[in-house]
Amino acid sequence: MPQVQERIPGRIEDPLSTLPPSLNPPARILMGPGPSDVAPSVLRAMAKPTLGHLDPRFLEVMDQIRDMLQVVFGTRNELTMPMSGTGSAGMETMIVNLVEPGDRVLVGVNGVFGTRMADVARRAGAEVVEVKTEWGKTFTPEAFREAAAGQPCKLLCVVHAETSTGAHQAIPPLKEVAEELGALLCLDCVTSLGGVPVELDAWGVDAAYSGTQKCLSCPPGLAPVSFSARAADFMAKRRHPVQSWYLDLGMIRNYWGGERAYHHTAPINMLYALHEALRLALEEGLEARFLRHRRLSEALVAGLRAMGLSIRVPDEERLPQLTPVAIPEGINDAQGRRFMLEQFGLEIGGGLGPMAGNTWRIGLMGAACSRRNVHLCLSAVGAALGAQGYSIAGDPLQAAADALNG
Amino acid sequence: MPQVQERIPGRIEDPLSTLPPSLNPPARILMGPGPSDVAPSVLRAMAKPTLGHLDPRFLEVMDQIRDMLQVVFGTRNELTMPMSGTGSAGMETMIVNLVEPGDRVLVGVNGVFGTRMADVARRAGAEVVEVKTEWGKTFTPEAFREAAAGQPCKLLCVVHAETSTGAHQAIPPLKEVAEELGALLCLDCVTSLGGVPVELDAWGVDAAYSGTQKCLSCPPGLAPVSFSARAADFMAKRRHPVQSWYLDLGMIRNYWGGERAYHHTAPINMLYALHEALRLALEEGLEARFLRHRRLSEALVAGLRAMGLSIRVPDEERLPQLTPVAIPEGINDAQGRRFMLEQFGLEIGGGLGPMAGNTWRIGLMGAACSRRNVHLCLSAVGAALGAQGYSIAGDPLQAAADALNG
């Protein structure tokens, strides 16, 4: 066996002299675009003893996760499982397993995540047709029909809940155009899952991915995905290997499915967290959960409007779990957010792309979506604006209460 | 805002009637090829409150992780960070960032992970030259020189610690041949990091990846990687985009480096766990840690040999942290491992490839590498063999004690 090598003295600073202390992160309230607050029982589940990835007791946990994911996705798709990466790994999983070089792919681009999907699809060799609309707006079926220009497409990809803008895309109307084009209907459900209805089977969706750190209120690190039998059939007929080994569902399905063949070592403790987060979502009941998000979001918006602020997405396209609010003229974005973080321990998000510097994104996701947090956030936003000399006309807390009681 | 849709009654079973109970995983002793046992303080760190991925307090945690990773990798490489996936995502990160279509890549194949690396490189468009030797053996520099046949190569890839066989590749002798070929020297350190010396700078290694769930004793889910300035220069000169968006270091380095530009949401709580696992490794001291692995492995091997069992790797190429032991004739592999799991709560690993069914892989990794576990494992293996009628000649516990005292 090779000898233990002497380390070269002084080559790297003595680790002990610079060893950081053990972690002591502050307890923030997470009301940005994600990660969202994590319920205590989810944190506790994550800290339970690690099992081996082929332990029979762990295989039971996997089955339960799949069963619960099917319920939250509104599907009976057998090919439903969490991928071992964050939401963007879910996006890449969907694309690389379904796209072959030269495939024509329609992608709706109305924010950061549609833009990202187009990029991922190009890297997989797709001929991407970007269907564009203004950030903060959603798509009509006509927009896709026109962009396709009568040519068949392999995939029609769209973001269900644009985290960068707060826009809520209606999905059922897109099914018809996908069918006309012979395309698989593919969804980004990162911010929608667990916060608004997701009904893959009822809507005829063929492929979808999500993330754990939004309305499921689980720490970031996993990407639930689901594929219809039709999508699985497309995969089975591929002519080229999937370009990613790590995300190749042809192998991963054998670990999550019947054979339990080793592919990569599953992130055991993250999966414990997802198990508990799904349990909490189903214990609450999905309808009750959606209603909670909707009602509290109405209260938040009423409060923000009472401060004289305006929302950057039309009401009928607005996501309850993510509210993009225009920063008033003369108010500094970063300074305002820093004030809220330092004075209130409250995190909200800044804007991205054309919304950078002029928009705050306020999340009300999962465990963070509570009446307490609505009031806290309105107080903090008011104080932050006040600190920069903005004077608030109305009574935001009363407006929020009225919205809840109304 | 779209209305909450009615769920179709009876389409999916009533979730509440089938909701699984909260998790209660048994406390195993993990002495397989990984995941290994996780120290209690690492589990506690993981359960600390989730921070936002751009929170200033979290950015400090990232810096500390990078600093500690540099020490355990034996490098000052600026481009050192954990990727948001398991060890295999680290492998794919190394390959897709360094390989362009048509590049000639030498890969040492002497087990599962060399085989996997060749597969990943082919999917990235490389022309792969497999350098083969028997499973359980390691490579001479000559083997690579001959396989290259005088032609330059872009990468020379080899597995430092083959988890599938327990073979320990000597790295410094390979540097000269890599230089002759103009190749970047690229290492799989998944099972080596934290268990045996890894000295990227002293050895002239250009790229390396690891996993958290082996000798770092952190749950699976992250893949530390490190790239030399020369490798970073290769990346900067790429002619084609990196095929994976999720693993594209050109963007990820801006999040881990100075600009803190958002790429994907980092797996916050997994990073807490890695922070604490690295702290524990450095608090113990790397030399002390390597010595612990070596001494206890000698005790384990002495005990196994006292039972009449043989080790499937020659002593001079044997990894301390993973011992492949031949299963005696007539003993059923799966039955034996099930016995140890059920009767002792002890997990050891089975063999893979040509070692399937005839080899057990016993890990002594990180927190699991203790005298208590050496004795437990010898007792359990003895009992499992006894239950299948194998009679043990010597006194394995005494042999283990003698090895430690000798």
Side-chain angles (χ1 to χ4, degrees):
Chain A
M1 201 176 320
Q3 284 299 304
V4 173
Q5 269 208 325
E6 285 294 320
R7 297 184 75 84
I8 304 162
R11 196 172 57 81
I12 280 174
E13 282 179 283
D14 174 17
L16 276 179
S17 73
T18 58
L19 203 58
S22 65
L23 286 173
N24 193 19
R28 307 290 200 205
I29 304 291
L30 300 179
M31 297 181 72
S36 63
D37 279 345
V38 177
S41 70
V42 173
L43 292 173
R44 281 198 303 273
M46 201 164 31
K48 290 186 179 178
T50 307
L51 286 172
H53 53 287
L54 294 171
D55 192 304
R57 292 289 294 273
F58 183 67
L59 302 179
E60 284 171 21
V61 173
M62 292 166 66
D63 285 345
Q64 292 170 355
I65 288 173
R66 190 201 49 223
D67 291 352
M68 290 191 286
L69 274 180
Q70 287 176 336
V71 179
V72 298
F73 267 128
T75 186
R76 284 177 164 161
N77 287 339
E78 195 200 315
L79 200 50
T80 301
M81 69 194 77
M83 299 297 288
S84 305
T86 62
S88 296
M91 179 190 286
E92 195 153 313
T93 299
M94 183 179 85
I95 297 292
V96 300
N97 281 278
L98 294 177
V99 168
E100 297 203 70
D103 280 347
R104 196 153 173 269
V105 170
L106 284 179
V107 182
V109 175
N110 59 343
V112 166
F113 295 94
T115 307
R116 181 173 300 179
M117 215 171 345
D119 185 352
V120 172
R122 270 186 217 102
R123 291 174 192 239
E127 181 201 323
V128 173
V129 180
E130 292 192 13
V131 187
K132 292 193 175 181
T133 190
E134 204 184 325
W135 284 40
K137 294 286 189 308
T138 61
F139 298 98
T140 59
E142 266 318 306
F144 284 96
R145 200 171 275 121
E146 279 169 26
Q151 300 296 313
C153 294
K154 176 93 171 272
L155 310 180
L156 189 165
C157 301
V158 74
V159 178
H160 187 205
E162 237 311 337
T163 324
S164 64
T165 66
H168 189 181
Q169 176 68 45
I171 303 304
L174 301 181
K175 181 61 182 172
E176 193 180 317
V177 56
E179 284 190 341
E180 286 166 27
L181 300 168
L184 297 172
L185 181 56
C186 300
L187 288 201
D188 176 320
C189 299
V190 170
T191 288
S192 58
L193 198 69
V196 291
V198 173
E199 292 285 353
L200 300 189
D201 288 0
W203 297 346
V205 174
D206 291 296
Y209 58 89
S210 189
T212 46
Q213 78 276 16
K214 311 283 186 181
C215 298
L216 294 178
S217 266
C218 175
L222 294 172
V225 297
S226 186
F227 294 85
S228 69
R230 185 167 163 240
D233 194 47
F234 268 58
M235 291 181 215
K237 289 181 181 152
R238 288 181 66 93
R239 288 156 294 128
H240 303 87
V242 173
Q243 69 182 27
S244 169
W245 184 94
Y246 187 60
L247 304 176
D248 186 344
L249 289 170
M251 296 184 288
I252 296 169
R253 64 183 306 173
N254 292 333
Y255 174 57
W256 280 85
E259 290 175 49
R260 304 301 187 182
Y262 162 64
H263 178 258
H264 66 273
T265 304
I268 309 294
N269 295 66
M270 275 303 308
L271 289 161
Y272 292 170
L274 177 58
H275 183 278
E276 178 63 13
L278 290 168
R279 257 179 43 78
L280 293 182
L282 296 182
E283 201 165 64
E284 176 177 11
L286 292 175
E287 281 73 16
R289 194 173 180 92
F290 303 148
L291 186 63
R292 171 164 63 88
H293 282 83
R294 212 172 56 193
R295 290 187 66 233
L296 289 166
S297 143
E298 281 161 8
L300 175 70
V301 165
L304 293 168
R305 285 184 172 144
M307 282 188 220
L309 304 180
S310 65
I311 309 303
R312 308 225 8 177
V313 168
D315 273 1
E316 61 284 5
E317 295 168 59
R318 185 170 67 72
L319 283 169
Q321 60 270 52
L322 190 70
T323 302
V325 56
I327 303 172
E329 202 79 27
I331 298 295
N332 181 281
D333 163 29
Q335 194 181 323
R337 284 186 289 129
R338 197 178 320 117
F339 178 95
M340 289 183 249
L341 192 68
E342 288 171 2
Q343 300 288 318
F344 288 81
L346 173 72
E347 176 178 285
I348 68 166
L352 296 173
M355 295 187 179
N358 60 47
T359 303
W360 283 329
R361 289 180 299 155
I362 302 176
L364 272 177
M365 299 183 182
C369 179
S370 66
R371 182 163 184 181
R372 184 172 67 188
N373 283 352
V374 167
H375 281 245
L376 165 70
C377 182
L378 291 170
S379 306
V381 168
L385 293 174
Q388 291 192 43
Y390 178 93
S391 71
I392 289 160
D395 182 344
L397 298 182
Q398 187 59 49
D402 290 347
L404 283 173
N405 299 328
Chain B
M1 201 175 321
Q3 284 299 302
V4 173
Q5 266 208 329
E6 286 293 322
R7 297 184 74 82
I8 303 160
R11 195 174 55 83
I12 281 175
E13 281 178 283
D14 174 16
L16 277 180
S17 72
T18 57
L19 203 57
S22 64
L23 285 174
N24 193 19
R28 305 294 199 203
I29 304 289
L30 300 179
M31 297 181 72
S36 63
D37 279 347
V38 176
S41 70
V42 172
L43 292 173
R44 282 198 303 272
M46 200 164 33
K48 290 184 178 179
T50 307
L51 287 173
H53 54 286
L54 295 171
D55 192 303
R57 291 290 294 274
F58 184 67
L59 301 180
E60 284 171 22
V61 173
M62 292 167 65
D63 285 344
Q64 292 170 355
I65 288 173
R66 191 202 48 223
D67 291 350
M68 292 192 284
L69 275 180
Q70 287 176 337
V71 179
V72 299
F73 266 129
T75 186
R76 284 175 163 162
N77 287 338
E78 195 199 315
L79 201 49
T80 301
M81 68 193 78
M83 300 296 291
S84 306
T86 63
S88 297
M91 178 190 287
E92 195 153 314
T93 299
M94 183 178 84
I95 296 293
V96 300
N97 281 278
L98 295 177
V99 168
E100 297 203 71
D103 282 346
R104 196 153 173 267
V105 170
L106 285 179
V107 182
V109 176
N110 60 343
V112 166
F113 296 94
T115 306
R116 181 174 300 179
M117 215 173 341
D119 185 353
V120 172
R122 271 187 217 101
R123 290 173 191 239
E127 182 201 321
V128 173
V129 180
E130 292 193 13
V131 188
K132 293 195 175 178
T133 188
E134 203 183 324
W135 283 42
K137 296 285 189 306
T138 61
F139 298 99
T140 59
E142 266 317 307
F144 284 97
R145 200 171 275 121
E146 279 170 27
Q151 300 296 312
C153 294
K154 176 94 171 272
L155 310 181
L156 189 165
C157 303
V158 73
V159 179
H160 186 204
E162 235 315 335
T163 324
S164 64
T165 68
H168 189 180
Q169 177 68 46
I171 303 305
L174 301 181
K175 180 61 181 173
E176 194 181 316
V177 57
E179 283 190 341
E180 286 166 26
L181 300 169
L184 297 172
L185 181 57
C186 300
L187 290 200
D188 175 319
C189 299
V190 171
T191 288
S192 58
L193 198 69
V196 291
V198 173
E199 292 286 352
L200 300 190
D201 288 0
W203 297 345
V205 175
D206 292 296
Y209 59 88
S210 188
T212 47
Q213 77 277 17
K214 311 283 185 179
C215 297
L216 294 178
S217 266
C218 175
L222 295 171
V225 297
S226 186
F227 294 85
S228 70
R230 186 166 163 239
D233 193 48
F234 268 57
M235 291 181 214
K237 291 180 180 153
R238 289 182 65 94
R239 289 157 294 129
H240 303 86
V242 173
Q243 69 183 27
S244 169
W245 184 94
Y246 187 60
L247 304 176
D248 187 344
L249 289 170
M251 295 185 287
I252 295 168
R253 63 183 305 172
N254 293 333
Y255 174 55
W256 281 85
E259 291 176 47
R260 306 299 188 182
Y262 162 64
H263 178 256
H264 66 272
T265 304
I268 309 295
N269 295 65
M270 275 303 307
L271 289 162
Y272 291 171
L274 177 58
H275 182 279
E276 178 62 13
L278 290 168
R279 256 179 44 76
L280 293 182
L282 297 182
E283 202 166 63
E284 176 177 11
L286 292 175
E287 281 73 16
R289 194 174 179 91
F290 301 149
L291 185 63
R292 169 164 65 87
H293 282 81
R294 214 175 53 193
R295 290 187 65 233
L296 289 166
S297 144
E298 282 161 7
L300 176 70
V301 166
L304 292 168
R305 285 184 173 146
M307 280 188 222
L309 304 180
S310 65
I311 309 304
R312 308 226 7 178
V313 168
D315 273 1
E316 61 284 3
E317 295 168 59
R318 185 170 68 71
L319 283 169
Q321 60 270 52
L322 190 69
T323 302
V325 56
I327 302 172
E329 202 79 26
I331 299 295
N332 181 281
D333 164 30
Q335 194 181 323
R337 284 187 288 128
R338 198 179 320 117
F339 179 94
M340 290 183 250
L341 192 69
E342 288 172 0
Q343 300 289 319
F344 288 80
L346 173 72
E347 176 178 283
I348 67 166
L352 297 172
M355 295 187 179
N358 60 46
T359 302
W360 283 329
R361 289 180 299 155
I362 302 176
L364 272 177
M365 299 183 182
C369 180
S370 66
R371 182 162 184 183
R372 183 172 68 187
N373 282 353
V374 167
H375 281 246
L376 166 69
C377 182
L378 291 171
S379 306
V381 168
L385 293 174
Q388 290 192 44
Y390 178 90
S391 72
I392 290 160
D395 183 344
L397 297 183
Q398 188 58 49
D402 291 346
L404 283 174
N405 298 329

